[in-house]
Amino acid sequence: MVKNILALVFLGVVLVSCKCKKADTANTLEGTWELNYITGPRIAFDGLYPNKKPTINFDLKESRVSGNTSCNSFTGKLSVDGNKIDFTQPMALTKMMCLDGQGEQVFINTLQKVNTYSITDGGKTLNFISGDIATMRFTKK
């Protein structure tokens, strides 16, 4: 009987600690991140974003995402479930004339294909993944 009680207590502690670990991972998404890698274009990263790198900001309390494409600002509803993330919902985007070429369009198109994320390097690196391919990488600001 004592062994059964101890086993239940141990199992409860393990389950609670697993739940806390998951919550901590979700909280590290909060804040502002700056893009430092994007897949696809044959143009060098610095050629796509010569003046300003895109940023993305997560506000988990308000379930909002916002940022800058290197030229225009965007904002919208944040949809996160575990490590799944959805950027296909409509977002508000300013319409300034961008002289930096195709960087903004590459950023928006790639962002809409992302379906999961991971946070690595002790919370310093955010990876956006499409299928099983890492398509974007950000560093915490």
Side-chain angles (χ1 to χ4, degrees), residues 35 38 48-49 52-56 66-75 91-96 98 100-109 111 136:
L35 185 71
I38 193 164
L48 281 173
Y49 310 107
K52 183 178 180 183
K53 295 178 185 177
T55 60
I56 193 163
S66 60
N68 190 286
T69 64
S70 78
C71 178
N72 285 293
S73 297
F74 64 90
T75 187
M91 288 195 200
L93 181 68
T94 60
K95 296 287 185 177
M96 296 184 348
C98 304
D100 292 342
Q102 63 182 0
E104 178 179 57
Q105 198 58 46
V106 169
F107 179 80
I108 292 169
N109 290 342
L111 191 62
M136 303 172 94

Side-chain angles (χ1 to χ4, degrees), residues 32-101:
T32 302
W33 301 83
E34 184 176 74
L35 185 71
N36 65 19
Y37 170 80
I38 193 164
T39 62
R42 294 180 187 249
I43 300 171
F45 182 81
D46 290 334
L48 281 173
Y49 310 107
N51 300 318
K52 183 178 180 183
K53 295 178 185 177
T55 60
I56 193 163
N57 181 58
F58 296 97
D59 183 345
L60 298 178
K61 289 180 184 174
E62 298 294 323
S63 294
R64 304 289 301 166
V65 62
S66 60
N68 190 286
T69 64
S70 78
C71 178
N72 285 293
S73 297
F74 64 90
T75 187
K77 184 178 179 240
L78 177 61
S79 178
V80 176
D81 182 17
N83 74 330
K84 295 191 183 324
I85 194 162
D86 181 12
F87 294 108
T88 60
Q89 299 175 15
M91 288 195 200
L93 181 68
T94 60
K95 296 287 185 177
M96 296 184 348
M97 187 170 115
C98 304
L99 301 174
D100 292 342

Side-chain angles (χ1 to χ4, degrees), residues 97-127:
M97 187 170 115
C98 304
L99 301 174
D100 292 342
Q102 63 182 0
E104 178 179 57
Q105 198 58 46
V106 169
F107 179 80
I108 292 169
N109 290 342
T110 306
L111 191 62
Q112 290 176 341
K113 295 175 185 172
V114 169
N115 53 25
T116 58
Y117 74 93
S118 69
I119 298 173
T120 58
D121 299 329
K124 297 176 186 174
T125 301
L126 170 63
N127 303 288

